[in-house]
């Protein structure tokens, strides 16, 4: 499914984000930037050690105490078909949801897109941030993801495509339903 927002396309697909040939894929990382499970684990294992090396440099320079929730940084993508990996950290929900978690998740998407724009990138693919190990309620997390991306695309004209790459048919359906309800 896709929707035109300004000059850009917002699209949904089911797939493995490590296989996307876009300018940047976004990683649902944790504040250490040292890798982990889920999509983070897949990106580091398929992308190779280059990505971790660059993350270590970011920790030594920009963020010695770790990447704050809702912020984003960028590295190259090692052996992956994408050109860059944008690392962001969504909130830890553990099944709960409130305004603070919503704001942090919104920021994770929005700041990732801001960084893509600063780098002159045109195509960005997102996973379903905070919907796995971090346990955010999927319906709320999907609505927030869509809102952040649409707000960005309405305001900025730099991107050509933002793609949500969902890892299951169920997650795809959640996004499809929420996107349909947007005028
Ligand atoms: N492609 C696309 N989506 C994927 C892939 C993939 N290859 N693998 C998993 N997903 P999670 P979080 C989906 O847990 O909730 C890590 O340990 C998955 O089905 O990866 O933000 C980090 O280091 C789910 O829908 O990220 C952090 O510690 C979504 O990606 C923590 O997990 C996000 O699940 C972050 O937790």
């Amino acid at each position: 499914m896709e929707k035109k927002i300004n000059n850009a396309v917002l699209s949904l697909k089911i797939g493995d984000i490590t296989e996307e040939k876009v300018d940047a894929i976004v990683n649902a990382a944790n504040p250490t930037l040292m890798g982990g499970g889920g999509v983070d684990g897949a990106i580091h294992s398929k992308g190779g050690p280059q990505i971790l090396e660059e993350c270590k440099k970011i920790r030594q320079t920009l963020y010695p105490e770790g990447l704050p929730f809702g912020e984003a940084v960028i590295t190259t993508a090692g052996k992956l078909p994408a050109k860059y990996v944008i690392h962001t950290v969504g909130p830890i929900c553990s099944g709960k949801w409130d305004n603070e978690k919503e704001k942090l998740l919104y920021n994770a998407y929005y700041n990732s897109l801001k960084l893509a724009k600063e780098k002159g990138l045109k195509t960005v693919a997102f996973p379903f941030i905070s919907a796995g190990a971090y346990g955010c309620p999927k319906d709320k997390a999907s609505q927030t993801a869509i809102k952040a991306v649409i707000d960005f695309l309405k305001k900025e004209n730099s991107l050509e495509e933002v793609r949500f790459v969902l890892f299951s048919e169920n997650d795809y359906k959640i996004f499809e339903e929420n996107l349909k309800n947007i005028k």
Side-chain angles (χ1 to χ4, degrees), residues 1-69:
M1 180 186 181
E2 51 180 62
K3 209 176 182 89
K4 196 109 199 272
I5 317 276
N6 260 346
N7 294 321
V9 173
L10 173 52
S11 64
L12 306 180
K13 71 180 276 192
I14 298 174
D16 177 345
I17 201 164
T18 60
E19 291 170 9
E20 294 295 308
K21 289 191 192 70
V22 283
D23 290 340
I25 60 169
V26 177
N27 183 15
N30 63 64
T32 70
L33 295 177
M34 293 298 109
V39 71
D40 194 7
I43 287 171
H44 281 284
S45 78
K46 291 193 189 168
Q50 172 77 27
I51 300 174
L52 189 60
E53 281 312 308
E54 290 178 46
C55 284
K56 283 183 182 161
K57 291 214 178 78
I58 289 168
R59 284 295 310 279
Q60 283 159 9
T61 53
L62 282 175
Y63 291 108
E65 313 215 318
L67 183 64
F69 292 97

Side-chain angles (χ1 to χ4, degrees), residues 7-136:
N7 294 321
V9 173
L10 173 52
S11 64
L12 306 180
K13 71 180 276 192
I14 298 174
D16 177 345
I17 201 164
T18 60
E19 291 170 9
E20 294 295 308
K21 289 191 192 70
V22 283
D23 290 340
I25 60 169
V26 177
N27 183 15
N30 63 64
T32 70
L33 295 177
M34 293 298 109
V39 71
D40 194 7
I43 287 171
H44 281 284
S45 78
K46 291 193 189 168
Q50 172 77 27
I51 300 174
L52 189 60
E53 281 312 308
E54 290 178 46
C55 284
K56 283 183 182 161
K57 291 214 178 78
I58 289 168
R59 284 295 310 279
Q60 283 159 9
T61 53
L62 282 175
Y63 291 108
E65 313 215 318
L67 183 64
F69 292 97
E71 298 296 322
V73 294
I74 190 163
T75 65
T76 55
K79 293 184 279 188
L80 297 175
K83 292 187 195 133
Y84 294 93
V85 176
I86 293 172
H87 306 261
T88 190
V89 189
I92 302 173
C93 295
S94 308
K96 300 194 180 74
W97 188 252
D98 57 29
N99 289 343
E100 176 66 9
K101 297 190 196 318
E102 182 176 351
K103 183 79 192 145
L104 292 173
L105 188 60
Y106 184 96
N107 289 349
Y109 285 97
Y110 205 93
N111 287 328
S112 296
L113 293 176
K114 261 169 76 177
L115 195 50
K117 183 192 170 179
E118 280 162 30
K119 278 269 173 185
L121 308 183
K122 300 291 176 199
T123 52
V124 177
F126 280 104
F128 196 177
I129 299 168
S130 285
Y134 279 0
C136 292

